[in-house]
Amino acid sequence: MWYGGRFQGKPISSGVGTPTCLGAYCNYRTGEPNASPCTAADGVTVYRERSLMIYSEGTWNDLSPEGCPGYSTAYNGAFCERSLCSIQVDCVTANTASVSGGYAPSCTCTCKAGYRGARCQVLDTTVTANGTNYGAWCDASPMNATVAQSRCVAKGSGWTLASIPTSGVDAMIRGLTTYTMWTGGTYVDGVDKYKWQYGRYGDLYFSGGPNSSGTCAENMYCNWAPGQPDRADCLDGSPLEKDIVTGWRTTQQWNDL
């Protein structure tokens, strides 16, 4: 019988002859799989064994799915399956309220409040404080500050990367998600100063050299992680660090990246 084991896709085992099972069940016949080549009926084309079949006694072997004379047409059965939709398999579990659709790939993930996306993989939530809406948008793909600003703009009229004028706003933003998040803070080239570049708080908020040797501007809030901002060299030819994230690592403070 043929079934769905392949050398591509989720790994089953590694090695040939005496394979190692990779966290999965294996039941190869002794000496298998061997990934050996076989020549097609035209006598020229060479295929390599990479699909699995089950012998009548229950052990496994790898054979060529394209078909080679002498064996691949001798097995005329097929094991089939279909996967029921499952939150654990088809959706981001923590972000999903329910799943429907019967069988994959026609599964629909119904997201919890504040999440969206086909798998509920995108955090998109909003809170309001001091007359300002604050939102968090996280998805599975890392983004730079430029992409982060475009994500904010895409939320609608008036949305930009956030300024953080107070400790209360900082804590509130970090309370929306455990991810490290881009903010609207940026370095002003050539003058050793940082400002909020978007929104209603477009002020300079920190001045001075790297490694936290500067000072927070009067009546402005700062929350740098130890040793930050450091204006570090990215070591790959790209510009020095300048844009600001909050929720940095274990301290959940600010860093320039």
Side-chain angles (χ1 to χ4, degrees):
M1 301 283 286
W2 291 101
Y3 77 116
R6 296 293 295 270
F7 279 173
Q8 295 84 18
K10 184 176 181 180
I12 299 172
S13 63
S14 64
V16 295
T18 55
T20 299
C21 293
L22 301 176
Y25 171 70
C26 297
N27 188 28
Y28 289 104
R29 176 178 281 189
T30 300
E32 302 294 346
N34 57 15
S36 63
C38 68
T39 303
D42 62 10
V44 176
T45 306
V46 176
Y47 298 117
R48 186 165 295 277
E49 297 181 340
R50 64 184 189 277
S51 288
L52 299 187
M53 50 77 64
I54 299 178
Y55 286 116
S56 57
E57 80 275 13
T59 58
W60 302 357
N61 183 21
D62 58 327
L63 296 177
S64 168
E66 290 85 5
C68 292
Y71 65 76
S72 59
T73 58
Y75 306 101
N76 56 1
F79 284 119
C80 305
E81 67 176 19
R82 64 177 179 178
S83 297
L84 292 169
C85 292
S86 164
I87 289 180
Q88 290 76 16
V89 174
D90 301 294
C91 315
V92 177
T93 305
N95 305 345
T96 305
S98 63
V99 64
S100 59
Y103 302 97
S106 300
C107 303
T108 299
C109 304
T110 300
C111 305
K112 294 179 180 177
Y115 296 91
R116 61 182 182 79
R119 301 182 60 250
C120 300
Q121 76 277 16
V122 178
L123 170 67
D124 190 2
T125 189
T126 302
V127 295
T128 301
N130 301 325
T132 301
N133 294 138
Y134 294 94
W137 183 326
C138 305
D139 58 34
S141 301
M143 65 184 74
N144 60 29
T146 301
V147 173
Q149 168 64 0
S150 71
R151 294 286 194 271
C152 290
V153 171
K155 286 173 67 67
S157 177
W159 283 99
T160 67
L161 282 171
S163 305
I164 305 180
T166 68
S167 60
V169 169
D170 197 5
M172 181 180 63
I173 290 175
R174 286 185 286 109
L176 294 175
T177 175
T178 58
Y179 290 105
T180 297
M181 306 287 288
W182 288 106
T183 73
T186 191
Y187 177 78
V188 181
D189 289 330
V191 295
D192 281 338
K193 295 180 184 292
Y194 289 81
K195 73 171 185 177
W196 298 116
Q197 58 183 326
Y198 306 110
R200 67 190 338 179
Y201 303 103
D203 303 307
L204 293 170
Y205 63 89
F206 183 83
S207 62
N211 300 314
S212 294
S213 60
T215 57
C216 196
E218 185 177 0
N219 297 321
M220 296 297 288
Y221 168 72
C222 298
N223 187 25
W224 296 107
Q228 301 298 329
D230 58 5
R231 292 283 289 147
D233 188 335
C234 293
L235 303 180
D236 62 357
S238 56
L240 298 179
E241 295 179 340
K242 64 177 293 184
D243 292 315
I244 312 305
V245 296
T246 187
W248 180 250
R249 296 185 175 173
T250 56
T251 68
Q252 292 293 288
Q253 294 174 282
W254 301 356
N255 186 16
D256 57 329
L257 296 177

mmCIF file of all heavy atoms in Angstrom, residues 183-223:
data_model
loop_
_atom_site.group_PDB
_atom_site.id
_atom_site.type_symbol
_atom_site.label_atom_id
_atom_site.label_comp_id
_atom_site.label_asym_id
_atom_site.label_seq_id
_atom_site.Cartn_x
_atom_site.Cartn_y
_atom_site.Cartn_z
ATOM 1 N N THR A 183 8.147 52.078 18.471
ATOM 2 C CA THR A 183 7.463 53.315 18.839
ATOM 3 C C THR A 183 7.867 54.407 17.854
ATOM 4 O O THR A 183 8.648 54.171 16.932
ATOM 5 C CB THR A 183 7.855 53.768 20.261
ATOM 6 O OG1 THR A 183 9.209 54.282 20.237
ATOM 7 C CG2 THR A 183 7.767 52.608 21.249
ATOM 8 N N GLY A 184 7.371 55.625 18.084
ATOM 9 C CA GLY A 184 7.701 56.745 17.214
ATOM 10 C C GLY A 184 8.953 57.493 17.615
ATOM 11 O O GLY A 184 9.247 58.557 17.055
ATOM 12 N N GLY A 185 9.709 56.990 18.582
ATOM 13 C CA GLY A 185 10.938 57.650 18.991
ATOM 14 C C GLY A 185 12.053 57.432 17.987
ATOM 15 O O GLY A 185 12.209 56.342 17.440
ATOM 16 N N THR A 186 12.864 58.491 17.758
ATOM 17 C CA THR A 186 13.968 58.365 16.810
ATOM 18 C C THR A 186 15.086 59.332 17.173
ATOM 19 O O THR A 186 14.870 60.342 17.855
ATOM 20 C CB THR A 186 13.496 58.637 15.367
ATOM 21 O OG1 THR A 186 14.524 58.252 14.449
ATOM 22 C CG2 THR A 186 13.182 60.110 15.152
ATOM 23 N N TYR A 187 16.277 59.010 16.725
ATOM 24 C CA TYR A 187 17.453 59.843 16.936
ATOM 25 C C TYR A 187 17.483 60.962 15.901
ATOM 26 O O TYR A 187 17.194 60.735 14.719
ATOM 27 C CB TYR A 187 18.706 58.972 16.812
ATOM 28 C CG TYR A 187 20.015 59.702 16.936
ATOM 29 C CD1 TYR A 187 20.510 60.081 18.176
ATOM 30 C CD2 TYR A 187 20.769 60.002 15.809
ATOM 31 C CE1 TYR A 187 21.729 60.732 18.302
ATOM 32 C CE2 TYR A 187 21.994 60.660 15.911
ATOM 33 C CZ TYR A 187 22.462 61.024 17.165
ATOM 34 O OH TYR A 187 23.656 61.677 17.275
ATOM 35 N N VAL A 188 17.826 62.178 16.356
ATOM 36 C CA VAL A 188 17.968 63.310 15.443
ATOM 37 C C VAL A 188 19.430 63.361 15.008
ATOM 38 O O VAL A 188 20.327 63.606 15.820
ATOM 39 C CB VAL A 188 17.572 64.635 16.121
ATOM 40 C CG1 VAL A 188 17.715 65.795 15.135
ATOM 41 C CG2 VAL A 188 16.145 64.548 16.648
ATOM 42 N N ASP A 189 19.680 63.085 13.748
ATOM 43 C CA ASP A 189 21.052 62.935 13.259
ATOM 44 C C ASP A 189 21.915 64.148 13.574
ATOM 45 O O ASP A 189 21.530 65.292 13.334
ATOM 46 C CB ASP A 189 21.043 62.690 11.745
ATOM 47 C CG ASP A 189 20.508 61.318 11.383
ATOM 48 O OD1 ASP A 189 20.673 60.399 12.202
ATOM 49 O OD2 ASP A 189 19.917 61.173 10.300
ATOM 50 N N GLY A 190 23.105 63.877 14.129
ATOM 51 C CA GLY A 190 24.136 64.888 14.301
ATOM 52 C C GLY A 190 24.055 65.729 15.549
ATOM 53 O O GLY A 190 24.970 66.514 15.819
ATOM 54 N N VAL A 191 23.001 65.598 16.344
ATOM 55 C CA VAL A 191 22.873 66.487 17.506
ATOM 56 C C VAL A 191 22.703 65.729 18.822
ATOM 57 O O VAL A 191 22.459 66.339 19.856
ATOM 58 C CB VAL A 191 21.682 67.459 17.321
ATOM 59 C CG1 VAL A 191 21.928 68.404 16.168
ATOM 60 C CG2 VAL A 191 20.373 66.686 17.111
ATOM 61 N N ASP A 192 22.849 64.394 18.809
ATOM 62 C CA ASP A 192 22.727 63.590 20.021
ATOM 63 C C ASP A 192 21.442 63.879 20.780
ATOM 64 O O ASP A 192 21.440 64.102 21.990
ATOM 65 C CB ASP A 192 23.945 63.807 20.943
ATOM 66 C CG ASP A 192 25.163 63.028 20.478
ATOM 67 O OD1 ASP A 192 24.967 62.038 19.745
ATOM 68 O OD2 ASP A 192 26.289 63.404 20.833
ATOM 69 N N LYS A 193 20.346 63.873 20.065
ATOM 70 C CA LYS A 193 19.037 64.075 20.681
ATOM 71 C C LYS A 193 18.043 63.071 20.102
ATOM 72 O O LYS A 193 18.196 62.606 18.973
ATOM 73 C CB LYS A 193 18.527 65.504 20.449
ATOM 74 C CG LYS A 193 19.366 66.593 21.117
ATOM 75 C CD LYS A 193 18.783 67.968 20.836
ATOM 76 C CE LYS A 193 19.673 69.060 21.416
ATOM 77 N NZ LYS A 193 19.669 69.054 22.886
ATOM 78 N N TYR A 194 17.052 62.762 20.899
ATOM 79 C CA TYR A 194 15.974 61.878 20.474
ATOM 80 C C TYR A 194 14.654 62.637 20.572
ATOM 81 O O TYR A 194 14.451 63.438 21.487
ATOM 82 C CB TYR A 194 15.912 60.633 21.365
ATOM 83 C CG TYR A 194 17.072 59.682 21.146
ATOM 84 C CD1 TYR A 194 18.304 59.920 21.748
ATOM 85 C CD2 TYR A 194 16.935 58.563 20.337
ATOM 86 C CE1 TYR A 194 19.366 59.059 21.545
ATOM 87 C CE2 TYR A 194 17.989 57.692 20.141
ATOM 88 C CZ TYR A 194 19.202 57.946 20.736
ATOM 89 O OH TYR A 194 20.251 57.094 20.535
ATOM 90 N N LYS A 195 13.765 62.363 19.637
ATOM 91 C CA LYS A 195 12.459 63.022 19.652
ATOM 92 C C LYS A 195 11.378 62.023 19.280
ATOM 93 O O LYS A 195 11.637 60.960 18.715
ATOM 94 C CB LYS A 195 12.430 64.196 18.680
ATOM 95 C CG LYS A 195 12.387 63.768 17.211
ATOM 96 C CD LYS A 195 12.132 64.957 16.290
ATOM 97 C CE LYS A 195 11.973 64.504 14.842
ATOM 98 N NZ LYS A 195 11.647 65.643 13.942
ATOM 99 N N TRP A 196 10.151 62.391 19.625
ATOM 100 C CA TRP A 196 8.986 61.665 19.130
ATOM 101 C C TRP A 196 8.647 62.252 17.771
ATOM 102 O O TRP A 196 8.366 63.446 17.658
ATOM 103 C CB TRP A 196 7.808 61.812 20.098
ATOM 104 C CG TRP A 196 8.083 61.246 21.452
ATOM 105 C CD1 TRP A 196 8.136 61.923 22.628
ATOM 106 C CD2 TRP A 196 8.333 59.877 21.759
ATOM 107 N NE1 TRP A 196 8.429 61.067 23.663
ATOM 108 C CE2 TRP A 196 8.544 59.794 23.154
ATOM 109 C CE3 TRP A 196 8.421 58.703 21.011
ATOM 110 C CZ2 TRP A 196 8.831 58.601 23.803
ATOM 111 C CZ3 TRP A 196 8.710 57.512 21.653
ATOM 112 C CH2 TRP A 196 8.906 57.459 23.037
ATOM 113 N N GLN A 197 8.696 61.421 16.717
ATOM 114 C CA GLN A 197 8.612 61.956 15.364
ATOM 115 C C GLN A 197 7.200 62.017 14.809
ATOM 116 O O GLN A 197 6.972 62.598 13.752
ATOM 117 C CB GLN A 197 9.494 61.136 14.428
ATOM 118 C CG GLN A 197 9.144 59.646 14.369
ATOM 119 C CD GLN A 197 10.088 58.865 13.478
ATOM 120 O OE1 GLN A 197 10.554 59.393 12.479
ATOM 121 N NE2 GLN A 197 10.370 57.619 13.837
ATOM 122 N N TYR A 198 6.222 61.431 15.501
ATOM 123 C CA TYR A 198 4.858 61.439 14.994
ATOM 124 C C TYR A 198 3.913 61.901 16.097
ATOM 125 O O TYR A 198 4.292 62.057 17.256
ATOM 126 C CB TYR A 198 4.423 60.038 14.532
ATOM 127 C CG TYR A 198 5.342 59.395 13.537
ATOM 128 C CD1 TYR A 198 6.132 58.300 13.887
ATOM 129 C CD2 TYR A 198 5.418 59.864 12.232
ATOM 130 C CE1 TYR A 198 6.966 57.698 12.965
ATOM 131 C CE2 TYR A 198 6.250 59.265 11.304
ATOM 132 C CZ TYR A 198 7.022 58.187 11.687
ATOM 133 O OH TYR A 198 7.847 57.598 10.771
ATOM 134 N N GLY A 199 2.663 62.063 15.745
ATOM 135 C CA GLY A 199 1.626 62.295 16.744
ATOM 136 C C GLY A 199 1.698 63.661 17.378
ATOM 137 O O GLY A 199 2.346 64.582 16.906
ATOM 138 N N ARG A 200 1.013 63.822 18.507
ATOM 139 C CA ARG A 200 0.876 65.127 19.135
ATOM 140 C C ARG A 200 2.063 65.498 20.001
ATOM 141 O O ARG A 200 2.218 66.649 20.386
ATOM 142 C CB ARG A 200 -0.410 65.162 19.960
ATOM 143 C CG ARG A 200 -0.389 64.267 21.152
ATOM 144 C CD ARG A 200 -1.711 64.085 21.861
ATOM 145 N NE ARG A 200 -2.675 65.139 21.638
ATOM 146 C CZ ARG A 200 -3.891 65.119 22.176
ATOM 147 N NH1 ARG A 200 -4.269 64.121 22.931
ATOM 148 N NH2 ARG A 200 -4.738 66.086 21.954
ATOM 149 N N TYR A 201 2.919 64.516 20.352
ATOM 150 C CA TYR A 201 4.077 64.801 21.188
ATOM 151 C C TYR A 201 5.332 64.769 20.327
ATOM 152 O O TYR A 201 6.149 63.863 20.419
ATOM 153 C CB TYR A 201 4.185 63.788 22.322
ATOM 154 C CG TYR A 201 2.954 63.723 23.192
ATOM 155 C CD1 TYR A 201 2.049 62.678 23.064
ATOM 156 C CD2 TYR A 201 2.698 64.720 24.123
ATOM 157 C CE1 TYR A 201 0.914 62.623 23.861
ATOM 158 C CE2 TYR A 201 1.561 64.665 24.924
ATOM 159 C CZ TYR A 201 0.676 63.622 24.786
ATOM 160 O OH TYR A 201 -0.444 63.566 25.559
ATOM 161 N N GLY A 202 5.498 65.760 19.453
ATOM 162 C CA GLY A 202 6.638 65.771 18.543
ATOM 163 C C GLY A 202 7.851 66.451 19.138
ATOM 164 O O GLY A 202 8.589 67.147 18.448
ATOM 165 N N ASP A 203 8.071 66.276 20.453
ATOM 166 C CA ASP A 203 9.106 67.013 21.161
ATOM 167 C C ASP A 203 10.377 66.193 21.321
ATOM 168 O O ASP A 203 10.358 64.956 21.330
ATOM 169 C CB ASP A 203 8.617 67.404 22.559
ATOM 170 C CG ASP A 203 7.335 68.217 22.521
ATOM 171 O OD1 ASP A 203 7.325 69.221 21.799
ATOM 172 O OD2 ASP A 203 6.378 67.835 23.200
ATOM 173 N N LEU A 204 11.490 66.911 21.519
ATOM 174 C CA LEU A 204 12.718 66.275 21.966
ATOM 175 C C LEU A 204 12.507 65.782 23.390
ATOM 176 O O LEU A 204 11.970 66.489 24.231
ATOM 177 C CB LEU A 204 13.884 67.273 21.924
ATOM 178 C CG LEU A 204 14.306 67.747 20.531
ATOM 179 C CD1 LEU A 204 15.286 68.905 20.641
ATOM 180 C CD2 LEU A 204 14.931 66.609 19.739
ATOM 181 N N TYR A 205 12.913 64.541 23.665
ATOM 182 C CA TYR A 205 12.682 64.011 25.009
ATOM 183 C C TYR A 205 13.950 63.511 25.679
ATOM 184 O O TYR A 205 13.947 63.184 26.863
ATOM 185 C CB TYR A 205 11.629 62.903 24.985
ATOM 186 C CG TYR A 205 12.026 61.684 24.182
ATOM 187 C CD1 TYR A 205 12.711 60.624 24.761
ATOM 188 C CD2 TYR A 205 11.711 61.594 22.835
ATOM 189 C CE1 TYR A 205 13.068 59.514 24.027
ATOM 190 C CE2 TYR A 205 12.061 60.488 22.092
ATOM 191 C CZ TYR A 205 12.743 59.455 22.690
ATOM 192 O OH TYR A 205 13.103 58.357 21.956
ATOM 193 N N PHE A 206 15.059 63.428 24.929
ATOM 194 C CA PHE A 206 16.305 62.946 25.528
ATOM 195 C C PHE A 206 17.460 63.534 24.749
ATOM 196 O O PHE A 206 17.424 63.627 23.518
ATOM 197 C CB PHE A 206 16.366 61.413 25.460
ATOM 198 C CG PHE A 206 17.585 60.805 26.106
ATOM 199 C CD1 PHE A 206 17.623 60.579 27.472
ATOM 200 C CD2 PHE A 206 18.699 60.466 25.352
ATOM 201 C CE1 PHE A 206 18.741 60.024 28.072
ATOM 202 C CE2 PHE A 206 19.820 59.908 25.941
ATOM 203 C CZ PHE A 206 19.843 59.689 27.306
ATOM 204 N N SER A 207 18.507 63.950 25.459
ATOM 205 C CA SER A 207 19.683 64.488 24.788
ATOM 206 C C SER A 207 20.936 63.984 25.490
ATOM 207 O O SER A 207 20.924 63.669 26.692
ATOM 208 C CB SER A 207 19.660 66.025 24.792
ATOM 209 O OG SER A 207 19.682 66.524 26.115
ATOM 210 N N GLY A 208 22.025 63.881 24.736
ATOM 211 C CA GLY A 208 23.287 63.426 25.295
ATOM 212 C C GLY A 208 23.845 62.253 24.542
ATOM 213 O O GLY A 208 23.292 61.794 23.541
ATOM 214 N N GLY A 209 24.965 61.748 25.038
ATOM 215 C CA GLY A 209 25.693 60.681 24.371
ATOM 216 C C GLY A 209 25.074 59.314 24.587
ATOM 217 O O GLY A 209 24.040 59.174 25.239
ATOM 218 N N PRO A 210 25.734 58.280 24.054
ATOM 219 C CA PRO A 210 25.216 56.914 24.175
ATOM 220 C C PRO A 210 25.416 56.341 25.575
ATOM 221 O O PRO A 210 26.031 56.959 26.437
ATOM 222 C CB PRO A 210 26.044 56.152 23.142
ATOM 223 C CG PRO A 210 27.333 56.908 23.075
ATOM 224 C CD PRO A 210 26.959 58.348 23.258
ATOM 225 N N ASN A 211 24.869 55.133 25.757
ATOM 226 C CA ASN A 211 25.002 54.386 27.005
ATOM 227 C C ASN A 211 24.381 55.123 28.186
ATOM 228 O O ASN A 211 24.933 55.173 29.290
ATOM 229 C CB ASN A 211 26.464 54.054 27.291
ATOM 230 C CG ASN A 211 27.073 53.216 26.187
ATOM 231 O OD1 ASN A 211 26.464 52.249 25.731
ATOM 232 N ND2 ASN A 211 28.252 53.598 25.734
ATOM 233 N N SER A 212 23.223 55.726 27.929
ATOM 234 C CA SER A 212 22.446 56.402 28.960
ATOM 235 C C SER A 212 23.209 57.527 29.646
ATOM 236 O O SER A 212 22.926 57.883 30.792
ATOM 237 C CB SER A 212 21.957 55.387 30.011
ATOM 238 O OG SER A 212 21.048 54.490 29.439
ATOM 239 N N SER A 213 24.217 58.106 28.982
ATOM 240 C CA SER A 213 24.976 59.206 29.589
ATOM 241 C C SER A 213 24.288 60.547 29.419
ATOM 242 O O SER A 213 24.765 61.557 29.931
ATOM 243 C CB SER A 213 26.376 59.268 28.978
ATOM 244 O OG SER A 213 26.310 59.492 27.574
ATOM 245 N N GLY A 214 23.163 60.584 28.709
ATOM 246 C CA GLY A 214 22.436 61.823 28.506
ATOM 247 C C GLY A 214 21.403 62.052 29.588
ATOM 248 O O GLY A 214 21.390 61.390 30.629
ATOM 249 N N THR A 215 20.520 62.981 29.340
ATOM 250 C CA THR A 215 19.491 63.330 30.301
ATOM 251 C C THR A 215 18.141 63.422 29.608
ATOM 252 O O THR A 215 18.032 63.775 28.436
ATOM 253 C CB THR A 215 19.788 64.691 30.963
ATOM 254 O OG1 THR A 215 19.911 65.686 29.948
ATOM 255 C CG2 THR A 215 21.062 64.628 31.780
ATOM 256 N N CYS A 216 17.096 63.115 30.364
ATOM 257 C CA CYS A 216 15.740 63.249 29.861
ATOM 258 C C CYS A 216 15.371 64.725 29.863
ATOM 259 O O CYS A 216 15.700 65.462 30.807
ATOM 260 C CB CYS A 216 14.801 62.455 30.757
ATOM 261 S SG CYS A 216 13.191 62.131 30.031
ATOM 262 N N ALA A 217 14.727 65.182 28.811
ATOM 263 C CA ALA A 217 14.352 66.578 28.708
ATOM 264 C C ALA A 217 13.368 66.954 29.813
ATOM 265 O O ALA A 217 12.646 66.107 30.350
ATOM 266 C CB ALA A 217 13.745 66.851 27.338
ATOM 267 N N GLU A 218 13.342 68.245 30.154
ATOM 268 C CA GLU A 218 12.484 68.719 31.234
ATOM 269 C C GLU A 218 11.022 68.388 30.950
ATOM 270 O O GLU A 218 10.525 68.600 29.852
ATOM 271 C CB GLU A 218 12.652 70.231 31.391
ATOM 272 C CG GLU A 218 11.885 70.803 32.566
ATOM 273 C CD GLU A 218 12.120 72.288 32.737
ATOM 274 O OE1 GLU A 218 12.881 72.868 31.932
ATOM 275 O OE2 GLU A 218 11.538 72.860 33.676
ATOM 276 N N ASN A 219 10.377 67.834 31.968
ATOM 277 C CA ASN A 219 8.958 67.471 31.911
ATOM 278 C C ASN A 219 8.656 66.388 30.879
ATOM 279 O O ASN A 219 7.516 66.225 30.454
ATOM 280 C CB ASN A 219 8.080 68.705 31.609
ATOM 281 C CG ASN A 219 8.168 69.762 32.686
ATOM 282 O OD1 ASN A 219 8.227 69.442 33.875
ATOM 283 N ND2 ASN A 219 8.191 71.027 32.276
ATOM 284 N N MET A 220 9.684 65.648 30.470
ATOM 285 C CA MET A 220 9.476 64.542 29.538
ATOM 286 C C MET A 220 9.800 63.226 30.233
ATOM 287 O O MET A 220 10.569 63.181 31.201
ATOM 288 C CB MET A 220 10.344 64.704 28.285
ATOM 289 C CG MET A 220 10.003 65.938 27.460
ATOM 290 S SD MET A 220 8.326 65.924 26.782
ATOM 291 C CE MET A 220 8.486 64.682 25.502
ATOM 292 N N TYR A 221 9.210 62.168 29.749
ATOM 293 C CA TYR A 221 9.372 60.834 30.342
ATOM 294 C C TYR A 221 10.360 60.024 29.528
ATOM 295 O O TYR A 221 10.337 60.049 28.294
ATOM 296 C CB TYR A 221 8.015 60.125 30.375
ATOM 297 C CG TYR A 221 8.079 58.656 30.690
ATOM 298 C CD1 TYR A 221 8.378 58.204 31.973
ATOM 299 C CD2 TYR A 221 7.841 57.701 29.695
ATOM 300 C CE1 TYR A 221 8.431 56.838 32.267
ATOM 301 C CE2 TYR A 221 7.880 56.344 29.979
ATOM 302 C CZ TYR A 221 8.181 55.920 31.268
ATOM 303 O OH TYR A 221 8.236 54.577 31.550
ATOM 304 N N CYS A 222 11.258 59.295 30.210
ATOM 305 C CA CYS A 222 12.195 58.372 29.561
ATOM 306 C C CYS A 222 12.219 57.064 30.339
ATOM 307 O O CYS A 222 12.036 57.051 31.561
ATOM 308 C CB CYS A 222 13.609 58.945 29.517
ATOM 309 S SG CYS A 222 13.782 60.472 28.571
ATOM 310 N N ASN A 223 12.485 55.969 29.656
ATOM 311 C CA ASN A 223 12.510 54.664 30.332
ATOM 312 C C ASN A 223 13.483 53.725 29.621
ATOM 313 O O ASN A 223 13.120 52.654 29.159
ATOM 314 C CB ASN A 223 11.105 54.052 30.362
ATOM 315 C CG ASN A 223 11.056 52.778 31.194
ATOM 316 O OD1 ASN A 223 11.869 52.572 32.092
ATOM 317 N ND2 ASN A 223 10.104 51.910 30.888
#
